[in-house]
PDB file of all heavy atoms in Angstrom:
ATOM      1  N   ASP A 177      57.284 101.383 173.404  1.00 97.00           N
ATOM      2  CA  ASP A 177      57.033 100.293 174.438  1.00 97.00           C
ATOM      3  C   ASP A 177      57.882  99.152 174.249  1.00 97.00           C
ATOM      4  O   ASP A 177      58.339  98.590 175.299  1.00 97.00           O
ATOM      5  CB  ASP A 177      55.616  99.794 174.383  1.00 97.00           C
ATOM      6  CG  ASP A 177      54.586 100.910 174.713  1.00 97.00           C
ATOM      7  OD1 ASP A 177      54.992 102.048 175.234  1.00 97.00           O
ATOM      8  OD2 ASP A 177      53.283 100.730 174.467  1.00 97.00           O
ATOM      9  N   HIS A 178      58.405  98.743 173.064  1.00 97.00           N
ATOM     10  CA  HIS A 178      59.053  97.507 172.758  1.00 97.00           C
ATOM     11  C   HIS A 178      60.492  97.938 172.409  1.00 97.00           C
ATOM     12  O   HIS A 178      61.164  96.971 171.911  1.00 97.00           O
ATOM     13  CB  HIS A 178      58.332  96.614 171.845  1.00 97.00           C
ATOM     14  CG  HIS A 178      57.070  96.183 172.347  1.00 97.00           C
ATOM     15  ND1 HIS A 178      56.998  95.048 173.095  1.00 97.00           N
ATOM     16  CD2 HIS A 178      55.775  96.645 172.312  1.00 97.00           C
ATOM     17  CE1 HIS A 178      55.667  94.740 173.439  1.00 97.00           C
ATOM     18  NE2 HIS A 178      54.993  95.866 172.970  1.00 97.00           N
ATOM     19  N   ASP A 179      60.864  99.093 172.570  1.00 96.00           N
ATOM     20  CA  ASP A 179      62.330  99.422 172.361  1.00 96.00           C
ATOM     21  C   ASP A 179      62.642  98.976 170.871  1.00 96.00           C
ATOM     22  O   ASP A 179      63.681  98.452 170.608  1.00 96.00           O
ATOM     23  CB  ASP A 179      63.218  98.646 173.325  1.00 96.00           C
ATOM     24  CG  ASP A 179      64.563  99.322 173.480  1.00 96.00           C
ATOM     25  OD1 ASP A 179      64.622 100.512 173.064  1.00 96.00           O
ATOM     26  OD2 ASP A 179      65.479  98.771 174.132  1.00 96.00           O
ATOM     27  N   ALA A 180      61.881  99.373 169.928  1.00 97.00           N
ATOM     28  CA  ALA A 180      61.941  98.890 168.533  1.00 97.00           C
ATOM     29  C   ALA A 180      62.762  99.902 167.706  1.00 97.00           C
ATOM     30  O   ALA A 180      62.777  99.889 166.502  1.00 97.00           O
ATOM     31  CB  ALA A 180      60.582  98.667 167.995  1.00 97.00           C
ATOM     32  N   SER A 181      63.554 100.793 168.411  1.00 96.00           N
ATOM     33  CA  SER A 181      64.344 101.735 167.641  1.00 96.00           C
ATOM     34  C   SER A 181      65.648 101.792 168.253  1.00 96.00           C
ATOM     35  O   SER A 181      65.776 101.923 169.596  1.00 96.00           O
ATOM     36  CB  SER A 181      63.619 103.066 167.588  1.00 96.00           C
ATOM     37  OG  SER A 181      64.246 104.079 166.912  1.00 96.00           O
ATOM     38  N   GLN A 182      66.670 101.982 167.558  1.00 96.00           N
ATOM     39  CA  GLN A 182      68.010 102.153 168.009  1.00 96.00           C
ATOM     40  C   GLN A 182      68.583 103.504 167.562  1.00 96.00           C
ATOM     41  O   GLN A 182      68.317 104.478 168.138  1.00 96.00           O
ATOM     42  CB  GLN A 182      68.821 100.956 167.931  1.00 96.00           C
ATOM     43  CG  GLN A 182      69.937 100.824 169.013  1.00 96.00           C
ATOM     44  CD  GLN A 182      70.735  99.588 168.883  1.00 96.00           C
ATOM     45  OE1 GLN A 182      71.939  99.570 168.733  1.00 96.00           O
ATOM     46  NE2 GLN A 182      70.160  98.454 169.082  1.00 96.00           N
ATOM     47  N   CYS A 183      69.380 103.352 166.480  1.00 97.00           N
ATOM     48  CA  CYS A 183      69.748 104.720 165.923  1.00 97.00           C
ATOM     49  C   CYS A 183      68.649 105.593 165.354  1.00 97.00           C
ATOM     50  O   CYS A 183      68.772 106.753 165.258  1.00 97.00           O
ATOM     51  CB  CYS A 183      70.909 104.571 164.813  1.00 97.00           C
ATOM     52  SG  CYS A 183      70.297 104.252 163.182  1.00 97.00           S
ATOM     53  N   GLY A 184      67.633 104.946 164.885  1.00 96.00           N
ATOM     54  CA  GLY A 184      66.474 105.565 164.520  1.00 96.00           C
ATOM     55  C   GLY A 184      66.199 105.911 163.055  1.00 96.00           C
ATOM     56  O   GLY A 184      65.177 106.433 162.758  1.00 96.00           O
ATOM     57  N   PHE A 185      67.300 105.734 162.383  1.00 97.00           N
ATOM     58  CA  PHE A 185      67.179 106.169 160.888  1.00 97.00           C
ATOM     59  C   PHE A 185      66.165 105.380 160.171  1.00 97.00           C
ATOM     60  O   PHE A 185      65.523 105.971 159.314  1.00 97.00           O
ATOM     61  CB  PHE A 185      68.603 106.158 160.292  1.00 97.00           C
ATOM     62  CG  PHE A 185      69.118 107.504 159.866  1.00 97.00           C
ATOM     63  CD1 PHE A 185      69.520 108.336 160.878  1.00 97.00           C
ATOM     64  CD2 PHE A 185      69.028 107.894 158.515  1.00 97.00           C
ATOM     65  CE1 PHE A 185      69.932 109.619 160.531  1.00 97.00           C
ATOM     66  CE2 PHE A 185      69.484 109.210 158.230  1.00 97.00           C
ATOM     67  CZ  PHE A 185      69.903 110.016 159.193  1.00 97.00           C
ATOM     68  N   CYS A 186      66.064 104.089 160.303  1.00 98.00           N
ATOM     69  CA  CYS A 186      65.176 103.207 159.532  1.00 98.00           C
ATOM     70  C   CYS A 186      63.789 103.416 160.124  1.00 98.00           C
ATOM     71  O   CYS A 186      62.800 102.909 159.506  1.00 98.00           O
ATOM     72  CB  CYS A 186      65.611 101.840 159.624  1.00 98.00           C
ATOM     73  SG  CYS A 186      65.385 101.001 161.221  1.00 98.00           S
ATOM     74  N   THR A 187      63.557 103.906 161.350  1.00 98.00           N
ATOM     75  CA  THR A 187      62.343 103.812 162.154  1.00 98.00           C
ATOM     76  C   THR A 187      61.067 104.407 161.382  1.00 98.00           C
ATOM     77  O   THR A 187      60.135 103.852 161.256  1.00 98.00           O
ATOM     78  CB  THR A 187      62.470 104.454 163.513  1.00 98.00           C
ATOM     79  OG1 THR A 187      63.606 103.826 164.126  1.00 98.00           O
ATOM     80  CG2 THR A 187      61.258 104.206 164.380  1.00 98.00           C
ATOM     81  N   PRO A 188      61.219 105.638 160.899  1.00 98.00           N
ATOM     82  CA  PRO A 188      60.106 106.227 160.176  1.00 98.00           C
ATOM     83  C   PRO A 188      59.522 105.295 158.971  1.00 98.00           C
ATOM     84  O   PRO A 188      58.422 105.191 158.801  1.00 98.00           O
ATOM     85  CB  PRO A 188      60.555 107.566 159.643  1.00 98.00           C
ATOM     86  CG  PRO A 188      61.793 107.924 160.452  1.00 98.00           C
ATOM     87  CD  PRO A 188      62.394 106.630 160.802  1.00 98.00           C
ATOM     88  N   GLY A 189      60.482 104.755 158.209  1.00 98.00           N
ATOM     89  CA  GLY A 189      60.101 103.888 157.116  1.00 98.00           C
ATOM     90  C   GLY A 189      59.416 102.731 157.641  1.00 98.00           C
ATOM     91  O   GLY A 189      58.510 102.291 157.182  1.00 98.00           O
ATOM     92  N   PHE A 190      60.063 102.181 158.795  1.00 98.00           N
ATOM     93  CA  PHE A 190      59.341 100.847 159.396  1.00 98.00           C
ATOM     94  C   PHE A 190      57.945 101.257 159.835  1.00 98.00           C
ATOM     95  O   PHE A 190      57.008 100.403 159.721  1.00 98.00           O
ATOM     96  CB  PHE A 190      60.341 100.409 160.567  1.00 98.00           C
ATOM     97  CG  PHE A 190      61.097  99.260 160.102  1.00 98.00           C
ATOM     98  CD1 PHE A 190      62.484  99.401 160.043  1.00 98.00           C
ATOM     99  CD2 PHE A 190      60.526  97.983 159.811  1.00 98.00           C
ATOM    100  CE1 PHE A 190      63.325  98.290 159.630  1.00 98.00           C
ATOM    101  CE2 PHE A 190      61.351  96.967 159.499  1.00 98.00           C
ATOM    102  CZ  PHE A 190      62.740  97.087 159.400  1.00 98.00           C
ATOM    103  N   VAL A 191      57.735 102.397 160.491  1.00 98.00           N
ATOM    104  CA  VAL A 191      56.511 102.713 161.038  1.00 98.00           C
ATOM    105  C   VAL A 191      55.505 102.886 159.976  1.00 98.00           C
ATOM    106  O   VAL A 191      54.227 102.330 160.029  1.00 98.00           O
ATOM    107  CB  VAL A 191      56.590 104.095 161.836  1.00 98.00           C
ATOM    108  CG1 VAL A 191      55.118 104.520 162.208  1.00 98.00           C
ATOM    109  CG2 VAL A 191      57.406 103.890 163.145  1.00 98.00           C
ATOM    110  N   VAL A 192      55.802 103.492 158.757  1.00 98.00           N
ATOM    111  CA  VAL A 192      54.860 103.538 157.745  1.00 98.00           C
ATOM    112  C   VAL A 192      54.624 102.173 157.148  1.00 98.00           C
ATOM    113  O   VAL A 192      53.465 101.771 156.799  1.00 98.00           O
ATOM    114  CB  VAL A 192      55.475 104.575 156.578  1.00 98.00           C
ATOM    115  CG1 VAL A 192      54.610 104.613 155.291  1.00 98.00           C
ATOM    116  CG2 VAL A 192      55.533 105.995 157.086  1.00 98.00           C
ATOM    117  N   ALA A 193      55.606 101.384 157.000  1.00 98.00           N
ATOM    118  CA  ALA A 193      55.403  99.955 156.506  1.00 98.00           C
ATOM    119  C   ALA A 193      54.542  99.144 157.434  1.00 98.00           C
ATOM    120  O   ALA A 193      53.707  98.482 156.987  1.00 98.00           O
ATOM    121  CB  ALA A 193      56.780  99.301 156.242  1.00 98.00           C
ATOM    122  N   CYS A 194      54.743  99.387 158.722  1.00 98.00           N
ATOM    123  CA  CYS A 194      53.829  98.675 159.710  1.00 98.00           C
ATOM    124  C   CYS A 194      52.330  99.209 159.492  1.00 98.00           C
ATOM    125  O   CYS A 194      51.480  98.307 159.538  1.00 98.00           O
ATOM    126  CB  CYS A 194      54.255  99.070 161.125  1.00 98.00           C
ATOM    127  SG  CYS A 194      55.789  98.218 161.650  1.00 98.00           S
ATOM    128  N   LYS A 195      52.207 100.433 159.320  1.00 97.00           N
ATOM    129  CA  LYS A 195      50.879 100.984 159.111  1.00 97.00           C
ATOM    130  C   LYS A 195      50.273 100.329 157.874  1.00 97.00           C
ATOM    131  O   LYS A 195      49.027  99.879 157.869  1.00 97.00           O
ATOM    132  CB  LYS A 195      50.909 102.529 158.949  1.00 97.00           C
ATOM    133  CG  LYS A 195      49.418 103.022 158.620  1.00 97.00           C
ATOM    134  CD  LYS A 195      49.524 104.567 158.571  1.00 97.00           C
ATOM    135  CE  LYS A 195      48.264 105.335 157.954  1.00 97.00           C
ATOM    136  NZ  LYS A 195      47.036 104.607 158.239  1.00 97.00           N
ATOM    137  N   ALA A 196      50.987 100.149 156.801  1.00 97.00           N
ATOM    138  CA  ALA A 196      50.451  99.522 155.578  1.00 97.00           C
ATOM    139  C   ALA A 196      50.004  98.095 155.854  1.00 97.00           C
ATOM    140  O   ALA A 196      48.983  97.589 155.369  1.00 97.00           O
ATOM    141  CB  ALA A 196      51.478  99.599 154.519  1.00 97.00           C
ATOM    142  N   VAL A 197      50.849  97.369 156.661  1.00 97.00           N
ATOM    143  CA  VAL A 197      50.540  95.913 156.896  1.00 97.00           C
ATOM    144  C   VAL A 197      49.273  95.866 157.816  1.00 97.00           C
ATOM    145  O   VAL A 197      48.373  95.041 157.433  1.00 97.00           O
ATOM    146  CB  VAL A 197      51.753  95.335 157.821  1.00 97.00           C
ATOM    147  CG1 VAL A 197      51.284  93.943 158.328  1.00 97.00           C
ATOM    148  CG2 VAL A 197      53.011  95.239 156.885  1.00 97.00           C
ATOM    149  N   LEU A 198      49.160  96.727 158.786  1.00 97.00           N
ATOM    150  CA  LEU A 198      47.975  96.702 159.701  1.00 97.00           C
ATOM    151  C   LEU A 198      46.775  97.205 158.906  1.00 97.00           C
ATOM    152  O   LEU A 198      45.595  96.734 159.238  1.00 97.00           O
ATOM    153  CB  LEU A 198      48.185  97.456 160.938  1.00 97.00           C
ATOM    154  CG  LEU A 198      49.301  96.896 161.852  1.00 97.00           C
ATOM    155  CD1 LEU A 198      49.674  97.927 162.950  1.00 97.00           C
ATOM    156  CD2 LEU A 198      48.834  95.628 162.495  1.00 97.00           C
ATOM    157  N   ASP A 199      46.885  98.197 158.088  1.00 96.00           N
ATOM    158  CA  ASP A 199      45.738  98.703 157.310  1.00 96.00           C
ATOM    159  C   ASP A 199      45.093  97.522 156.386  1.00 96.00           C
ATOM    160  O   ASP A 199      43.932  97.445 156.347  1.00 96.00           O
ATOM    161  CB  ASP A 199      46.111  99.824 156.348  1.00 96.00           C
ATOM    162  CG  ASP A 199      46.303 101.159 157.158  1.00 96.00           C
ATOM    163  OD1 ASP A 199      45.899 101.114 158.420  1.00 96.00           O
ATOM    164  OD2 ASP A 199      46.754 102.162 156.571  1.00 96.00           O
ATOM    165  N   LYS A 200      46.032  96.759 155.948  1.00 94.00           N
ATOM    166  CA  LYS A 200      45.545  95.656 155.014  1.00 94.00           C
ATOM    167  C   LYS A 200      45.099  94.507 155.915  1.00 94.00           C
ATOM    168  O   LYS A 200      43.945  93.827 155.471  1.00 94.00           O
ATOM    169  CB  LYS A 200      46.760  95.170 154.182  1.00 94.00           C
ATOM    170  CG  LYS A 200      46.406  94.329 153.033  1.00 94.00           C
ATOM    171  CD  LYS A 200      47.602  94.022 152.166  1.00 94.00           C
ATOM    172  CE  LYS A 200      47.403  93.001 150.992  1.00 94.00           C
ATOM    173  NZ  LYS A 200      48.615  92.597 150.401  1.00 94.00           N
ATOM    174  N   ASN A 201      45.638  94.259 157.076  1.00 94.00           N
ATOM    175  CA  ASN A 201      45.224  93.161 157.899  1.00 94.00           C
ATOM    176  C   ASN A 201      45.557  93.490 159.331  1.00 94.00           C
ATOM    177  O   ASN A 201      46.709  93.431 159.740  1.00 94.00           O
ATOM    178  CB  ASN A 201      46.096  91.931 157.433  1.00 94.00           C
ATOM    179  CG  ASN A 201      45.828  90.658 158.237  1.00 94.00           C
ATOM    180  OD1 ASN A 201      44.879  90.722 159.164  1.00 94.00           O
ATOM    181  ND2 ASN A 201      46.558  89.593 157.953  1.00 94.00           N
ATOM    182  N   PRO A 202      44.387  93.773 159.994  1.00 94.00           N
ATOM    183  CA  PRO A 202      44.625  94.202 161.396  1.00 94.00           C
ATOM    184  C   PRO A 202      45.176  93.064 162.334  1.00 94.00           C
ATOM    185  O   PRO A 202      45.816  93.403 163.417  1.00 94.00           O
ATOM    186  CB  PRO A 202      43.227  94.665 161.834  1.00 94.00           C
ATOM    187  CG  PRO A 202      42.396  94.774 160.679  1.00 94.00           C
ATOM    188  CD  PRO A 202      43.055  93.826 159.684  1.00 94.00           C
ATOM    189  N   LYS A 203      45.135  91.812 161.871  1.00 94.00           N
ATOM    190  CA  LYS A 203      45.550  90.735 162.694  1.00 94.00           C
ATOM    191  C   LYS A 203      46.594  89.914 161.947  1.00 94.00           C
ATOM    192  O   LYS A 203      46.418  88.727 161.687  1.00 94.00           O
ATOM    193  CB  LYS A 203      44.414  89.775 163.097  1.00 94.00           C
ATOM    194  CG  LYS A 203      43.254  90.494 163.892  1.00 94.00           C
ATOM    195  CD  LYS A 203      43.538  90.524 165.375  1.00 94.00           C
ATOM    196  CE  LYS A 203      42.439  91.101 166.211  1.00 94.00           C
ATOM    197  NZ  LYS A 203      42.934  91.378 167.529  1.00 94.00           N
TER     198      LYS A 203
END
Side-chain angles (χ1 to χ4, degrees):
Chain A
D177 295 346
H178 293 276
D179 206 11
S181 180
Q182 207 172 116
C183 86
F185 244 77
C186 71
T187 308
F190 262 108
V191 168
V192 174
C194 286
K195 178 172 162 39
V197 169
L198 293 168
D199 285 350
K200 196 173 169 189
N201 177 5
K203 300 276 185 193

